[in-house]
């Protein structure tokens, strides 16, 4: 359960990074 | 006239001589220190770096100099604007801080300079953001990125395969060549000793050298602050501050932000990406550590709140290993700090009641009394002030004896101030009473309270009395005036245990109003203020059932005739200062019923119901977060490889050494962080000593940095067992084993069990009857 929780957190961090990355990417293409 | 002129001339010449002498002396000093500085070859390296930085300032970072000049002009106009607005003065100067730099900086950022332009761009941004094409472009870019990442992975993967193959090869050959180095390992050791260690030492000593020559590193720092335009930014910030406090024109903030970013762009574009990664990591760590320490302090404050809510006797119960002795030790440490804080509050309250009283004199006198061992308990404090009061009254009634009384007080009590005005306080003029809204407080009563609180405050030995040893390390900082306590349990720096105190030995006779184990025990009279900690109170005091055979009329001291319980019920009376009791009992046992109800019902019973899994209070580290995930993975892999290797082989190979080194780096960081920020939450159930009603849920936080810093030994009573063990000639390995899964009659007899002996008795009887 602990391992699964850790895995979910890593997925969450990646998802957030992907989302924030999109905002930064949009700035660069302006 | 000529005389005056000649005097002026002489004076002038003397002055010039003095100046020349001083300048010459200064120059000589400089030459001497420079000579000493350049006697070390490392000084030349430092000089080259500093001069190189200076050359960059002149030839590369010219923009910074120009911006400082502009900043100074902006500051001047802003100050004029400020005075113009605040004092209604008319100046025909407009604040130039609102204008952008006249100098073009080639690496300026792309943000528009005005708010209106920014709004247009902002709208455009969201239009682009919401287009499908942009999303596609993002994923295309991401695909490209992943392509490069996979290329790198492809390049690295053969190396990993090679490593795995190497390990397989290692593990296929067994040996017992203990501590024998492989060829690569021998090379590595030579490289470490001849290259790595000397280089590391050189850099370490070089940084020490720089640190020692403050002028040089400060100059270096100032040059780079200038290069990165930070001096210009500071001047501009001040200029804008004076403009803003006068105008409150919020619309100008955007323009200033852009201006700041343009100024910062010098640093942003000059520092390479890897530099920013390091800076980002350092800032990240600083923020995380600050938050971590705040979390630790917050937990401690919650613990103090929990302890303050409790009555004077707190009885902690829990099964073996539930952490009850740890909990009472932690509570006692916090309560001891709380006592210092409470005493400090009393001192301050009294100080402000008679704010004209020269408290410095009074404190000096109290210190003298403390050193002379005149005051050592609340009672002696009261007595000292009462006597002083008496002699002051006598001196007032009989002024002819004043001198003699003063001499007596000086000799006996070290009192060295006026005899008509206590401690040079003009009592006739300023008065000796304070109306607190309810009562008229007398100065002498306040002095009695102050003395008692001051005694608690300045006692450097531990305030804890316990039946096992507890280490305290609060530090008192005394510059000769009012001392302050450094009671922080959580320290950022590597804090070695240098000076500490241990709890006083709790002599139970102190708590016996009736019969004592030692007749006329002098310690009995010392009962008073303190944090009393008794582990295993049930075994000490027992309950009515266990004491059935014990008689109160016995000649020897026992639990029924020592009047311990009566003492417990009255402890408050001996320890109150300004309505604050300076006594708290923390006791523990496994079952609450094992301590007799007569005493137990005076306490609050705290059951340790559950112990949560330890968590780390450092943000972004905690068990389910990022670092532990990596740690678990990396350390887990390294550990299994290392264990396999050490089972099969006994020699040293470089690859395994390198893996072990990496594992140790991870483990050390993990262990240090875990110990520094680790915390276990105890889930408590609270009830009255009568053991009735519902349990009230509470929490208590055991922070590792506080409680596991060599505070106490979890096997506190190991001394008794050591006494037994030293007579042992055999160990566990020497004890006989059962031969098979079914024990023989002889084997069972060796158990010396009451149960087996009883059975054996009947089986023997049956056997003898059968044979008869």
């Amino acid at each position: 359960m602990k391992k699964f929780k850790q895995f979910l957190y890593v997925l969450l961090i990646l998802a957030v990074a992907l989302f924030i990355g999109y905002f930064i990417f949009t700035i660069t293409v302006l | 006239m000529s005389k005056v002129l000649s005097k002026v001339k002489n004076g002038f010449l003397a002055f010039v001589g003095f100046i020349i002498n001083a300048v010459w002396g200064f120059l000589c000093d400089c030459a001497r220190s420079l000579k000493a500085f350049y006697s070390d070859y490392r000084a030349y390296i430092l000089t080259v770096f500093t001069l190189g930085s200076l050359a960059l300032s002149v030839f590369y970072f010219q923009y910074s100099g120009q911006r400082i000049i502009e900043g100074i002009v902006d500051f001047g106009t802003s100050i004029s604007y400020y005075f113009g607005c605040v004092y209604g003065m008319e100046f025909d100067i407009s604040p130039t801080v609102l204008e952008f730099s006249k100098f073009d900086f080639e690496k300026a950022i792309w943000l528009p300079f005005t708010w209106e332009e920014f709004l247009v761009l902002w709208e455009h941004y969201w239009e682009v953001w919401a287009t499908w094409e942009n999303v596609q472009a993002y994923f295309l870019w991401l695909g490209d990125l992943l392509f490069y990442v996979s290329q790198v992975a492809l390049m690295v993967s053969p190396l990993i395969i090679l490593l795995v193959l190497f390990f397989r090869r290692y593990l296929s050959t067994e040996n017992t060549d203990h501590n024998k180095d492989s060829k690569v390992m021998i090379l590595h050791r030579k490289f470490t000793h001849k290259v790595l260690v000397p280089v590391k030492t050189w850099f370490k000593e070089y940084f020490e050298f720089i640190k020692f020559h403050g002028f040089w590193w400060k100059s270096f720092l100032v040059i780079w602050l200038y290069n990165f335009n930070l001096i210009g930014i500071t001047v501009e910030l001040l200029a804008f501050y004076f403009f803003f406090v006068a105008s409150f024109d919020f619309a100008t903030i955007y323009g200033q932000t852009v201006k700041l970013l343009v100024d910062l762009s010098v640093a942003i574009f000059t520092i390479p990406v890897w530099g920013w990664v390091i800076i980002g990591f350092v800032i990240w760590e600083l923020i995380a550590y600050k938050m971590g320490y705040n979390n630790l302090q917050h937990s401690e404050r919650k613990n103090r709140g929990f302890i303050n809510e409790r009555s004077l006797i707190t009885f902690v119960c829990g099964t073996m290993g539930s952490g009850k002795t740890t909990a009472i030790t932690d509570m006692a440490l916090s309560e001891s700090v709380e006592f210092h804080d409470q005493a400090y509050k009393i001192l301050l309250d009294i100080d402000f009641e008679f704010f004209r009283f020269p408290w410095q004199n009074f404190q000096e006198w109290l210190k003298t009394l403390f050193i002379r061992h005149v005051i050592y308990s609340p009672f002696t404090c009261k007595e000292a002030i009462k006597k002083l009061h008496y002699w002051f009254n006598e001196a007032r009634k009989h002024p002819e004896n004043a001198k003699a009384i003063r001499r007596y007080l000086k000799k006996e009590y070290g009192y060295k101030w006026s005899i008509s005005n206590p401690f040079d306080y003009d009592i006739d003029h300023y008065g000796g009473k304070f109306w607190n809204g309810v009562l008229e407080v007398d100065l002498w009563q306040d002095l009695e309270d102050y003395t008692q609180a001051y005694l608690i405050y300045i006692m450097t030995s531990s305030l804890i009395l316990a039946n096992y040893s507890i280490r305290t390390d609060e530090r008192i900082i005394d510059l000769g005036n009012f001392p302050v306590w450094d009671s922080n349990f959580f320290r950022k720096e590597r804090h070695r245990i240098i000076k500490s105190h241990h709890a006083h030995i709790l002599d139970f006779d102190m708590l016996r109003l009736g019969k004592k184990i030692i007749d006329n025990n002098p310690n009995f009279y010392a009962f008073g203020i303190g944090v009393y900690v008794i582990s295993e109170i049930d075994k000490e005091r027992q309950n009515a059932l266990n004491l059935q055979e014990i008689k109160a009329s016995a000649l020897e001291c026992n639990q029924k005739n020592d009047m311990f319980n009566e003492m417990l019920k009255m402890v408050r009376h001996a320890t109150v200062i300004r309505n604050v009791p300076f006594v708290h009992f923390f006791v523990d046992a496994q079952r609450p019923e094992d301590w007799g109800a007569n005493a137990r019902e005076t306490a609050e019973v705290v059951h340790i119901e559950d112990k949560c899994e330890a968590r780390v209070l450092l943000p972004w580290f905690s068990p389910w977060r990022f670092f532990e995930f990596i740690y678990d993975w990396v350390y887990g892999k390294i550990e299994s490889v290392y264990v396999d290797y050490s089972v099969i082989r006994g020699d040293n190979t470089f690859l395994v050494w390198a893996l072990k080194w990496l594992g140790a780096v991870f483990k050390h960081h993990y262990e240090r962080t875990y110990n520094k920020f680790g915390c276990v939450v105890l889930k408590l159930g609270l009830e009255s000593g009568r053991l009735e009603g519902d349990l009230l849920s509470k929490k208590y936080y055991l922070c590792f940095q506080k409680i596991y810093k060599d505070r106490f030994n979890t096997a506190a009573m190991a001394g008794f067992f050591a006494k037994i063990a030293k007579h042992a000639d055999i160990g566990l390995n020497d004890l006989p084993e059962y031969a098979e899964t079914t024990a023989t009659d002889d084997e069972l007899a060796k158990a010396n069990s009451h149960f087996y002996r009883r059975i054996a008795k009947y089986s023997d009887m049956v056997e003898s009857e059968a044979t008869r």
Side-chain angles (χ1 to χ4, degrees):
Chain A
M1 189 62 195
K2 192 181 149 191
K3 292 270 171 207
F4 182 65
K5 225 172 169 182
Q6 282 179 341
F7 176 67
L8 282 184
Y9 267 97
V10 171
L11 273 189
L12 185 74
I13 289 167
L14 283 177
V16 171
L18 200 73
F19 191 60
I20 293 169
Y22 182 61
F23 282 85
I24 298 165
F25 174 79
T26 313
I27 293 172
T28 58
V29 296
L30 270 187
Chain B
M1 187 68 185
S2 62
K3 264 187 182 176
V4 174
L5 270 175
S6 115
K7 267 189 183 175
V8 169
K9 192 180 157 194
N10 287 343
F12 178 73
L13 284 174
F15 177 71
V16 170
F18 172 75
I19 294 289
I20 290 170
N21 206 17
V23 170
W24 181 247
F26 175 72
L27 288 174
C28 285
D29 279 351
C30 285
R32 260 196 298 275
S33 53
L34 273 176
K35 200 178 166 191
F37 178 61
Y38 283 109
S39 62
D40 192 324
Y41 76 96
R42 290 173 298 189
Y44 294 97
I45 302 172
L46 191 57
T47 313
V48 167
F49 270 106
T50 314
L51 289 179
S53 305
L54 206 61
L56 282 173
S57 310
V58 177
F59 299 110
Y60 186 72
F61 296 105
Q62 293 117 334
Y63 178 78
S64 305
Q66 292 157 353
R67 288 295 293 130
I68 290 176
I69 296 165
E70 274 187 344
I72 292 167
V73 173
D74 289 351
F75 182 71
T77 55
S78 288
I79 285 278
S80 315
Y81 182 80
Y82 173 80
F83 281 108
C85 285
V86 175
Y87 298 107
M89 291 185 242
E90 293 288 328
F91 292 113
D92 192 21
I93 298 169
S94 63
T96 51
V97 71
L98 300 179
E99 294 164 13
F100 282 91
S101 174
K102 291 183 188 67
F103 301 100
D104 287 329
F105 183 58
E106 53 181 321
K107 284 171 183 170
I109 55 155
W110 47 266
L111 267 175
F113 283 175
T114 63
W115 180 241
E116 288 72 29
E117 284 169 358
F118 176 77
L119 282 180
V120 173
L121 195 72
W122 183 245
E123 224 167 86
H124 180 56
Y125 174 83
W126 288 109
E127 276 168 14
V128 175
W129 189 88
T131 56
W132 180 238
E133 288 76 29
N134 193 48
V135 177
Q136 280 176 321
Y138 177 55
F139 279 102
L140 272 175
W141 173 82
L142 216 61
D144 283 349
L145 185 76
L146 283 175
F147 173 71
Y148 290 120
V149 171
S150 56
Q151 265 186 332
V152 174
L154 267 174
M155 279 187 266
V156 174
S157 57
L159 281 176
I160 297 170
I161 293 167
L162 219 63
L163 274 179
V164 173
L165 285 174
F166 260 114
F167 272 118
R168 289 261 164 89
R169 207 172 68 94
Y170 278 157
L171 297 179
S172 63
T173 35
E174 287 177 28
N175 71 41
T176 49
D177 305 335
H178 292 163
N179 209 26
K180 191 181 166 193
D181 290 343
S182 69
K183 279 177 192 163
V184 185
M185 194 64 199
I186 292 168
L187 273 176
H188 165 254
R189 282 202 203 281
K190 273 187 188 162
F191 178 72
T192 308
H193 285 118
K194 290 195 173 155
V195 183
L196 270 186
V197 173
V199 168
K200 211 173 143 186
T201 318
W202 188 88
F203 273 105
K204 218 173 151 186
E205 283 172 4
Y206 185 62
F207 281 115
E208 287 297 317
F209 174 78
I210 294 173
K211 233 163 86 180
F212 183 73
H213 294 97
F215 170 78
W216 289 89
W217 71 257
K218 279 173 196 162
S219 311
F220 192 79
L221 191 75
V222 169
I223 290 169
W224 281 99
L225 284 179
Y226 166 87
N227 288 354
F228 287 148
N229 211 10
L230 293 172
I231 297 174
I233 289 171
T234 314
V235 180
E236 282 285 353
L237 207 72
L238 282 172
F240 182 65
Y241 170 79
F242 279 104
F243 165 76
F244 189 76
V245 290
S247 69
F248 275 98
D249 189 355
F250 285 90
T252 56
I253 292 175
Y254 174 76
Q256 292 302 310
T257 315
V258 176
K259 215 170 141 184
L260 175 72
L261 284 173
V262 172
D263 282 341
L264 278 175
S265 63
V266 183
I268 293 171
F269 296 113
T270 311
I271 297 172
V273 176
W274 58 265
W276 280 116
V277 169
I278 294 171
I279 293 169
F281 181 74
V282 169
I283 293 171
W284 168 288
E285 283 286 285
L286 283 176
I287 295 171
Y289 269 65
K290 195 168 171 52
M291 285 168 77
Y293 277 102
N294 283 346
N295 290 342
L296 287 173
Q297 299 289 6
H298 186 60
S299 306
E300 177 59 17
R301 280 197 291 276
K302 282 196 271 192
N303 286 350
R304 291 269 285 272
F306 170 80
I307 295 164
N308 285 341
E309 282 172 7
R310 304 282 67 78
S311 69
L312 296 190
I313 305 166
T314 306
F315 180 24
V316 178
C317 295
T319 52
M320 264 193 289
S322 61
K324 52 188 187 307
T325 309
T326 311
I328 59 168
T329 310
D330 197 282
M331 287 174 193
L333 288 168
S334 293
E335 186 68 320
S336 149
V337 174
E338 180 69 23
F339 277 11
H340 282 143
D341 288 357
Q342 291 278 9
Y344 173 77
K345 195 175 170 297
I346 290 173
L347 294 176
L348 223 58
D349 283 350
I350 297 174
D351 196 318
F352 275 80
E353 279 178 10
F354 292 96
F355 61 92
R356 293 188 185 91
F357 190 86
W359 293 107
Q360 304 93 319
N361 292 348
F362 188 58
Q363 286 161 11
E364 189 187 332
W365 183 65
L366 291 181
K367 271 186 191 169
T368 316
L369 292 193
F370 184 69
I371 293 163
R372 290 185 180 195
H373 204 254
V374 177
I375 56 170
Y376 47 85
S377 65
F379 176 77
T380 52
C381 291
K382 284 184 198 170
E383 280 301 294
I385 299 298
K386 277 196 176 94
K387 275 181 190 159
L388 195 71
H389 191 191
Y390 168 79
W391 286 114
F392 267 100
N393 283 342
E394 283 298 302
R396 284 197 165 228
K397 272 189 230 163
H398 309 288
E400 69 280 7
N401 295 339
K403 273 190 176 173
I405 291 171
R406 192 174 182 275
R407 267 200 304 278
Y408 166 75
L409 287 177
K410 191 170 183 183
K411 193 178 166 214
E412 291 294 314
Y413 292 96
Y415 180 82
K416 58 182 184 186
W417 297 274
S418 157
I419 193 70
S420 50
N421 296 318
F423 302 92
D424 292 344
Y425 173 66
D426 193 348
I427 196 162
D428 297 321
H429 187 70
Y430 296 126
K433 304 272 183 203
F434 167 73
W435 170 247
N436 71 2
V438 179
L439 287 171
E440 200 160 60
V441 186
D442 184 60
L443 172 68
W444 290 98
Q445 178 56 47
D446 262 6
L447 290 184
E448 274 184 30
D449 293 340
Y450 194 97
T451 310
Q452 293 177 76
Y454 195 73
L455 176 74
I456 295 173
Y457 191 72
I458 61 161
M459 262 198 292
T460 45
S461 77
S462 174
L463 291 176
I464 303 172
L465 297 99
N467 66 343
Y468 61 97
S469 180
I470 300 172
R471 193 186 67 80
T472 58
D473 55 6
E474 290 173 74
R475 288 182 290 187
I476 195 162
I477 301 159
D478 190 353
L479 304 176
N481 302 311
F482 187 77
V484 283
W485 279 97
D486 174 12
S487 313
N488 191 3
F489 291 114
F490 311 109
R491 294 180 193 282
K492 285 178 187 138
E493 76 274 25
R494 183 191 279 204
H495 174 62
R496 286 199 177 86
I497 298 164
I498 300 165
K499 198 176 175 190
S500 51
H501 286 279
H502 290 90
H504 300 277
I505 300 165
L506 173 63
D507 183 344
F508 281 94
D509 271 352
M510 283 170 76
L511 305 170
R512 291 180 177 124
L513 276 177
K515 277 204 165 71
K516 294 164 190 64
I517 288 188
I518 295 171
D519 289 334
N520 299 320
N521 190 336
N523 290 344
F524 168 68
Y525 306 102
F527 174 76
I529 47 174
V531 183
Y532 292 79
V533 187
I534 306 171
S535 181
E536 312 285 1
I537 185 90
D538 53 333
K539 290 159 189 84
E540 172 67 28
R541 300 302 306 164
Q542 304 192 313
N543 61 13
L545 208 65
N546 296 327
L547 298 172
Q548 265 176 348
E549 302 298 319
I550 307 275
K551 296 277 178 261
S553 55
L555 286 174
E556 277 187 353
C557 168
N558 64 41
Q559 286 92 335
K560 280 189 178 168
N561 63 19
D562 63 2
M563 293 179 74
F564 177 96
N565 296 349
E566 284 73 8
M567 181 71 157
L568 214 56
K569 290 169 193 169
M570 298 198 327
V571 284
R572 195 179 189 283
H573 300 271
T575 56
V576 171
I577 304 167
R578 270 172 91 97
N579 302 320
V580 180
F582 281 89
V583 70
H584 201 138
F585 278 76
F586 293 100
V587 300
D588 76 20
Q590 287 171 14
R591 293 175 63 240
E593 295 84 359
D594 285 347
W595 187 20
N598 188 5
R600 188 193 63 224
E601 289 185 7
T602 58
E604 270 182 305
V605 180
V606 178
H607 296 273
I608 298 177
E609 293 183 323
D610 195 12
K611 204 169 157 183
C612 296
E613 199 186 331
R615 61 198 177 104
V616 180
L617 299 181
L618 183 73
W620 309 306
F621 182 90
S622 303
W624 52 87
R625 306 283 169 88
F626 201 56
F627 180 77
E628 200 173 37
F629 181 75
I630 302 168
Y631 168 77
D632 270 357
W633 192 79
V634 175
Y635 183 71
K637 290 263 178 275
I638 293 173
E639 189 195 21
S640 68
V641 169
Y642 178 65
V643 170
D644 282 352
Y645 184 87
S646 52
V647 169
I648 294 167
R649 292 173 65 131
D651 61 343
N652 299 323
T653 49
F654 177 71
L655 215 55
V656 173
W657 178 90
L659 267 186
K660 202 178 166 188
W661 172 82
L662 187 70
V665 168
F666 266 84
K667 195 164 174 60
H668 291 175
H669 178 66
Y670 180 79
E671 209 171 303
R672 281 178 192 137
T673 314
Y674 186 81
N675 287 337
K676 249 185 197 172
F677 295 99
C679 175
V680 161
V681 183
L682 294 181
K683 284 189 178 166
L684 308 175
L686 191 73
E687 65 174 336
S688 81
R690 285 190 292 278
L691 306 180
E692 57 190 25
D694 294 331
L695 290 180
L696 190 66
S697 290
K698 292 277 175 188
K699 280 181 183 170
Y700 193 83
Y701 302 83
L702 289 178
C703 296
F704 300 164
Q705 199 184 143
K706 176 186 170 192
I707 192 64
Y708 293 140
K709 201 170 185 180
D710 193 27
R711 295 293 178 191
F712 74 109
N713 186 351
T714 44
M717 288 149 203
F720 292 113
F721 292 99
K723 219 170 171 180
I724 300 169
K726 74 178 177 191
H727 298 291
D729 296 322
I730 52 169
L732 180 65
N733 212 24
D734 309 312
L735 291 174
E737 287 179 12
Y738 291 101
E740 282 176 35
T741 41
T742 312
T744 62
D745 191 30
D746 284 345
E747 282 172 346
L748 289 176
K750 283 178 187 166
N752 292 326
S753 139
H754 287 303
F755 172 47
Y756 290 167
R757 278 160 73 97
R758 220 164 42 235
I759 297 172
K761 202 168 129 190
Y762 292 111
S763 61
D764 286 349
M765 272 166 60
V766 171
E767 198 181 7
S768 63
E769 267 176 33
T771 47
R772 218 188 299 149

